[in-house]
Each structure stands twice: as C-alpha cells, then as structure tokens.
Amino acid sequence: MNFVKAIVAAGLVAASTSAFAADITGAGATFPFPIYSKWADAYKKETGNGLNYQSIGSGGGIKQIQAKTVTFGATDMPLKADQLEKDGLAQWPMVMGAIVPVVNIEGVKPGEMVFDGETLANVYLGKITKWDDPAIKKLNPNVKLPSEAITVVRRSDGSGTTFNFTDYLSKVSADWKSKVGEGTAVEWPTGVGAKGNEGVSGNVGQTKNSIGYVEYAYAKQNKLVYTAMVNKAGKSVQPTVETFQAAAANADWTHAPGYYVILTDQPGDKSWPITASTFILMHKDATDKAASQEAIKFFRWAFKNGGKMAEELDYIPMPANVVDLIEKTWSSDIKS
Amino acid sequence: MAVESDALQAAGPYDRAKALSAFKLGDITFYWITRASAISVLLILGGIILSLIVGAWPAMREYGVSFLTTQRWAPSADPPVLGALGPIYGTLVTSFIAMLIAIPVGLGIAIFLTELCPQWLRRPIGIAIELLAGIPSIIYGMWGFFVLGPFLAYTFQPAMIHLFDGVPVLGAIFAGPPSYLSLFNAALILAIMVLPFITAISVDVFRTVPPVLKEAAYGVGCTTWEVVRSVVIPYTRVGVIGGIMLALGRALGETMAVTFIIGNSFRITGSIFSPGTTISAAIASEFAESDGLHQSGLILLGLLLFVLTFIVLAAARLMLLRLEKKAGN
C-alpha cells in the first residue's frame, strides 16, 4: 500500500511542478517552426520558462486560437482587420522569411538557374511541361537543360507557404489569378502533392527533373538547388538575407491595420519577390491572463535577443521601428 | 471448476438450492457481460455513423448528388467547389489493382505452403509473411518512396509505356510521364500490404480440409492441381473469400503509406502512372487545415468510404450466399 501511495504522491508532485512552470502553448504555421523552437530553447535556458509550439499549419493555428485552446496562434496568412475585430484578436508580424523555388536537374547548381514570375506560374499551370521549353531557355541561356518532363511538386496540405506562393503567382500572372487564385489550399492544375515543407523538400530532393517551392531554411538545410528570381524591378536576385531584407524594408507596416501586409512582389531593385512574414495571433482579452502575459514576455525577449538567431536560420528579424509599433500594440490592445 | 466444486461442498448437502442459485447468478452475469460487449459494438458503430452524418450534413445539403459526380476539388474557390469523383476513382482503382496482384500471389503462396512446400522451407516463408503483416504502414510508404518509386519511374514505367504505345486502351492506361508518385505505385504497395491477410487466412483454412478428402482425391488419381482446384478451394471457399474481403477492406482504407506515394492530385487522367488520391489520403492531407464547408466535405468523404466498404462487404456476403445455394445446401 505504501508503495502505491508513494507512486500517487510522486505523480501529484510531478503534475503540480509542471503546472507551476506554466509553459506557454502556441500552435500554427510550419514556416517559422525552426526559429520558434530555437528561440524557445534559448529562452528556456535563460529564464527557465518553456514554450510549447506545435507546427500544425497556419489554418490550424487560426482555428486553435479561435477555440482558445492555445495561448497564441501563428499564421503565415494574416487575418484581415474585420476578422480580427470579430474574434477579438490582436495580430502582429513576428519574423520574416522567404520562399524559394527549388529544382532538381542533373548538373544544375544552387542559384544557377533563374525564373521569372510568369514562367514559374506557367510551370505550375501545366502550360510549360519540359525543361527545355523556350521560355525557360530564354531566361537561362547558359544552363544545360534536359528535354525532360517537369515534375511539379506542391503542397498537399493547406499551408501559409502555399498562400504566399500563390499570392505571388496571382500578382504576376493574370492567368493564374483567374484560373487558380490564392489560398492556403488551392485547386492545383498539375503536379504531385507532398505534405509539409519537409515533404516538398524530400520529394524534390528525390525526384529527377522536378521543381518545388519551400521556405528558404528548408532548402538550405536539405541542400536543395534553389533558383534566382527576376523581381518586380526586372532584376535577377539571389535568395540572400540582403534581398529578403530589401523586400521587407519596402513594406509599409505603419499604415496597415492589424499589420496586414503581404510581402510578395515588393518593389525595389534588390527585393526578393517571394518574401513573407509570419504572424502571431492572441486574444486581446484572454481567459488566462497570466499565460498571455508570459507569452508577451517571450515575444518581447525574442524581438530583443532573437535577431541573431533568426539570421543564422536565414530568417529576417523585424526592423526596430516595427518592433516599437508592436510594443505599442501590446500595451494598448492586450489586457492584463 | 475447482472453485465451483468447493462452493458446492461448502454449501453442504442440504443447501443445494442456494448453491444452484449462486451458479445461476454467475451464469446470468456472464450472459449479460458478454451480451453488453456484443451490443457495444453496435452502439459504437451507430455513434460513428451518426457523427459522420452530422458532420457531413452541411456538405450534403450544399452539394447533394453532384458531390459524387463532380471532379473539381477547389476548397479555396468562393464558394468552395467540392467533388468526390477523383478520390473515389483513386480509391477504387488502387484497390482493384492491388487485389488483382495480391489475390493470385497470396493464394499461390498459401497453396504452396500447405500442399507443396518442403518442410524445412515452411517456417521461413511463414515467418516472412507474419513479418510482412507486422511492418508499420509508414515503413511501406517510405520504401515505396525511396526504393520502389525510383525503380518504377526510371525503369518499369518507361518500358511499359514503350511496350503499349499505340495500343488502343492499354496505351492510354499506361500513358503519361513516368512519375514515382502514382496510382500504380500506391497500388503495388497496397498489394504487398494486403498480401499477408490473404495468405495467412488462406493457409489457416486450407489446413482445415480433412486429409481424408484429399487422400481420396489423390487415391483416384488426381494431380495436385486438381486436388487444389476441386477439393481444397471449394471446401474452404468461405474462409478464402473472408480473407480477401479483409484485405480489400484494408486496401480501401489504408491511409499513411498511400498518402506518401500517391501524389495527392484530385485530377482523373485515366493513366495509372499519373498521381491521384484516395478518399483516406485526401482526408489525411487536408483535414488539419480545413474548416467550414471544406471540413464538412472531408467528413462526407469519410462517410462515403464507410458506405463503400459496407457495400463491398454486403456484396461479398451475397456472393457467398449464392455460392452456397449453387453448392446445393
């Protein structure tokens, strides 16, 4: 009997200590998952407070915060101001990143090929089906392209990455806009679907003559062959922190209600065209105010100390003036 | 038993009635426990059907019969256009090809194991089949992705496409750019996955054939083939079909491995080398991010799979009844 009691007591102690440590829970976008987990790790070391982030996808993040099952939700597809109002949510951008086309063609090295928006749209529309298509050849006169069918890889699950990618294609191709449009899960005209950024990376890495789109960090980690892009200004740019930052610098955060800014196809000679920011959603008047304050503390810490870590993972930290704006949002909107 | 006789003795010779009523109570309790267990199956099944119908109701009301006949799946359109034709087609085609391969191979293995196999080879093959059944489905998916897929795409499919080029129907079935994520790849993996079901059950029922029947057949000069065809199979028909149905049920509903290698495309192209999707794969990939009508549509897909499986099982029962009648029972 004593033995049983001891076990029960041990269980109670374990339960109470874990409740005491008050882990912040968050769920949503897969796109910022690498950086959120890195931040959480460093934050835990520094403060002892943990963060439990589930990368279930942007749509899931929105749903979970609406259902109040998590302290914060994360999404790559910002909610519009009226929807935020309706659910009593506050929204702000947390970190920025970029989406890159990746290819797998024998002999082609990272950054060697270049795409423009329209050609990319036509590949994903199924209008361009071979690698030696004149449109691709014209952009890449010096690359040896095989006369092979293109295997188009895209996401099968709903995703914020897809939202930003299709948003970009909609901006650069009228045909794409009218036939497919933008969304987290669209009606793909062609291609094979893979689950998650990891799935697309895996598929492209594995399949000869394929093309896909992934968040830059995934492309880099998996050593995939990314391509350069022709941006709005007509300049060919490589995916680098510099070009991502150039795109971010052109965004007008001050005048966007609920920080609703989509960073694709930004002007500027150096702007990477498929740049995206990822957002945090929280209830203005949360039921668990302690957890909500704890989360704000974490985000404040991340803005202040997390910039370098973000850059190491090829994300772009938010500019200082935007962070100041967000601080104001916190103090005015989030009730404690 | 020991306990019961103890009870009888403890009750003594004059308290027989009490002891008997104790037995009776035990019996009744036992009866009700087992009965409740059996009924709980019906309740659970009913609950599942009910919750599926409730969840699917908005989509049913919105799309009606057109859900079954529409090929377009556009959850982000406004309003969303959802049609189940693609996933239904994929489910039926992959299961059909899987059974086409798995039934003869599975029965072949079973017959070899019970009728022809030398004793020393029996155990290794038997264990191999059990292992095949024990492998988690995601491992099959990964194997299909990394090993089978490339082989099919770069070796098998080009050969088949070349072979059937210009042949009317077959040409179209095998047409298209080879891709290692395809209906055919998924079907092959399914065939391997359901093989143990067919084999294990067939082996078990083949062993139930009374040796005297077989000996009699051999005695009148039958060959092994004739014994299998005219004695073993007819005698074990019900069990064999049961195994096949179990396998078909798994093929229809298998999710993880299929999602991995089928390509998740809602388009029907007619070629088995093109990507497709199945009902369960569609639900698995899209459910987490779905809401509103889209989610309801996915639940309706689930309900369809339920109905489809039910129809298959009912058809199997009917077929069995027919066979019994024909056999003159």
Side-chain angles (χ1 to χ4, degrees):
Chain A
M1 250 340 179
N2 273 334
F3 180 64
V4 173
K5 266 186 199 157
I7 289 181
V8 171
L12 282 176
V13 169
S16 59
T17 48
S18 70
F20 186 67
D23 280 5
I24 313 155
T25 57
T30 53
F31 175 83
F33 176 67
I35 182 61
Y36 287 178
S37 44
K38 194 168 184 179
W39 280 343
D41 234 31
Y43 188 66
K44 176 125 194 167
K45 268 183 204 140
E46 230 176 275
T47 65
N49 292 332
L51 169 78
N52 176 7
Y53 182 72
Q54 305 284 336
S55 61
I56 55 172
S58 294
I62 294 172
K63 257 196 307 193
Q64 294 305 323
I65 189 68
Q66 281 169 345
K68 301 190 178 178
T69 53
V70 286
T71 318
F72 70 90
T75 173
D76 302 334
M77 181 173 69
L79 294 179
K80 295 216 168 84
D82 52 338
Q83 209 182 341
L84 290 170
E85 196 60 46
K86 206 182 80 197
D87 292 320
L89 292 171
Q91 171 178 267
W92 65 88
M94 195 64 218
V95 68
M96 298 176 282
I99 295 157
V100 292
V102 286
V103 297
N104 180 351
I105 308 168
E106 219 166 311
V108 175
K109 289 180 202 58
E112 210 171 52
M113 269 187 83
V114 60
F115 266 102
D116 62 11
E118 199 180 346
T119 311
L120 195 59
N122 285 338
V123 168
Y124 271 84
L125 278 168
K127 282 201 210 159
I128 294 176
T129 56
K130 293 229 163 171
W131 279 113
D132 59 350
D133 188 277
I136 303 179
K137 262 183 159 168
K138 203 177 145 205
L139 285 164
N140 300 285
N142 300 321
V143 181
K144 218 181 119 209
L145 293 161
S147 179
E148 296 283 349
I150 302 174
T151 303
V152 173
V153 183
R154 36 82 179 171
R155 294 283 288 268
S156 64
D157 50 339
S159 111
T161 311
T162 295
F163 167 75
N164 282 296
F165 184 70
T166 52
D167 176 81
Y168 170 66
L169 294 185
S170 297
K171 279 177 181 163
V172 292
S173 158
D175 214 14
W176 182 272
K177 196 178 169 73
S178 68
K179 279 189 185 146
V180 186
E182 62 185 40
T184 52
V186 297
E187 185 191 8
W188 294 100
T190 183
V192 297
K195 205 162 157 59
N197 268 309
E198 327 70 87
V200 175
S201 308
N203 261 291
V204 173
Q206 171 81 3
T207 320
K208 280 182 211 161
N209 303 312
S210 61
I211 185 169
Y213 61 91
V214 291
E215 204 275 314
Y216 182 59
Y218 286 88
K220 213 176 158 190
Q221 275 162 26
N222 294 294
K223 299 195 171 58
L224 294 175
V225 179
Y226 54 80
T227 73
M229 289 288 299
V230 175
N231 64 15
K232 196 170 188 175
K235 299 279 191 316
S236 164
V237 283
Q238 291 285 339
T240 61
V241 171
E242 196 194 352
T243 58
F244 303 160
Q245 260 163 354
N250 287 301
D252 179 13
W253 295 102
T254 332
H255 298 103
Y259 299 96
Y260 187 93
V261 174
I262 293 162
L263 289 175
T264 56
D265 206 30
Q266 292 289 324
D269 277 2
K270 284 189 170 167
S271 298
W272 179 255
I274 331 178
T275 310
S277 42
T278 181
F279 297 81
I280 298 288
L281 292 167
M282 270 177 70
H283 283 283
K284 286 179 181 168
D285 193 5
T287 6
D288 186 351
K289 299 219 164 44
S292 161
Q293 284 309 311
E294 220 24 73
I296 298 278
K297 254 190 228 162
F298 168 75
F299 294 134
R300 187 171 284 133
W301 175 91
F303 276 143
K304 208 173 145 205
N305 308 299
K308 200 161 174 289
M309 280 177 257
E311 279 175 8
E312 276 163 20
L313 287 180
D314 304 290
Y315 289 91
I316 312 137
M318 299 307 294
N321 60 330
V322 181
V323 173
D324 286 346
L325 273 177
I326 295 168
E327 285 275 0
K328 272 181 210 145
T329 305
W330 287 342
S331 51
S332 66
D333 285 8
I334 309 260
K335 287 186 189 149
S336 58
Chain B
M1 239 352 172
V3 176
E4 284 168 14
S5 58
D6 279 354
L8 203 61
Q9 271 159 18
Y14 300 109
D15 214 354
R16 232 185 135 78
K18 201 175 163 191
L20 281 178
S21 83
F23 282 151
K24 203 173 170 193
L25 188 73
D27 258 5
I28 288 176
T29 318
F30 183 66
Y31 170 76
W32 278 105
I33 289 175
T34 50
R35 186 179 169 139
S37 312
I39 289 177
S40 72
V41 170
L42 288 182
L43 287 179
I44 292 169
L45 200 66
I48 293 174
I49 295 175
L50 202 69
S51 59
L52 278 178
I53 291 175
V54 169
W57 183 246
M60 275 200 254
R61 210 177 38 195
E62 178 78 21
Y63 304 110
V65 183
S66 76
F67 191 73
L68 295 176
T69 53
T70 311
Q71 204 202 114
R72 202 171 158 216
W73 183 270
S76 64
D78 191 31
V81 179
L82 301 179
L85 204 59
I88 292 175
Y89 167 82
T91 307
L92 293 178
V93 166
T94 50
S95 298
F96 179 73
I97 299 174
M99 299 315 281
L100 212 60
I101 298 166
I103 292 174
V105 176
L107 287 180
I109 297 172
I111 291 167
F112 180 75
L113 270 182
T114 51
E115 307 295 329
L116 301 163
C117 184
Q119 201 65 44
W120 61 270
L121 198 57
R122 227 169 250 198
R123 270 185 74 82
I125 293 182
I127 290 172
I129 286 161
E130 277 164 29
L131 276 177
L132 219 51
I135 297 174
S137 65
I138 189 66
I139 309 283
Y140 280 108
M142 275 155 51
W143 185 75
F145 186 79
F146 288 114
V147 181
L148 189 61
F151 166 75
L152 288 177
Y154 305 131
T155 313
F156 181 76
Q157 293 176 2
M160 293 300 273
I161 291 166
H162 183 72
L163 186 67
F164 290 108
D165 191 25
V167 181
V169 178
L170 289 174
I173 290 178
F174 293 110
S179 123
Y180 69 89
L181 300 180
S182 64
L183 288 166
F184 185 69
N185 189 345
L188 267 187
I189 288 289
L190 280 179
I192 299 171
M193 289 179 78
V194 301
L195 201 59
F197 286 73
I198 297 176
T199 309
I201 291 177
S202 302
V203 166
D204 283 349
V205 295
F206 285 170
R207 290 219 175 103
T208 65
V209 178
V212 63
L213 282 184
K214 284 195 274 181
E215 279 157 17
Y218 282 121
V220 296
C222 286
T223 60
T224 309
W225 160 241
E226 283 166 334
V227 170
V228 168
R229 203 194 53 174
S230 314
V231 178
V232 176
I233 297 273
Y235 189 85
T236 56
R237 202 175 44 221
V238 177
V240 169
I241 291 179
I244 290 173
M245 284 305 136
L246 211 61
L248 180 56
R250 168 139 200 208
L252 287 170
E254 172 52 38
T255 308
M256 211 52 237
V258 171
T259 313
F260 229 63
I261 48 179
I262 199 164
N264 301 301
S265 162
F266 283 83
R267 254 148 235 283
I268 299 173
T269 59
S271 159
I272 57 167
F273 289 154
S274 63
T277 191
T278 66
I279 293 177
S280 45
I283 298 171
S285 5
E286 292 196 1
F287 197 79
E289 288 274 343
S290 63
D291 50 13
L293 212 51
H294 182 198
Q295 189 162 69
S296 179
L298 290 172
I299 297 173
L300 183 51
L301 274 184
L303 185 64
L304 279 180
L305 184 60
F306 202 101
V307 173
L308 203 67
T309 317
F310 182 80
I311 291 175
V312 165
L313 289 177
R317 293 254 152 225
L318 275 180
M319 201 164 77
L320 278 179
L321 274 181
R322 279 252 184 89
L323 280 172
E324 308 256 290
K325 259 194 199 143
K326 231 177 164 182
N329 295 335

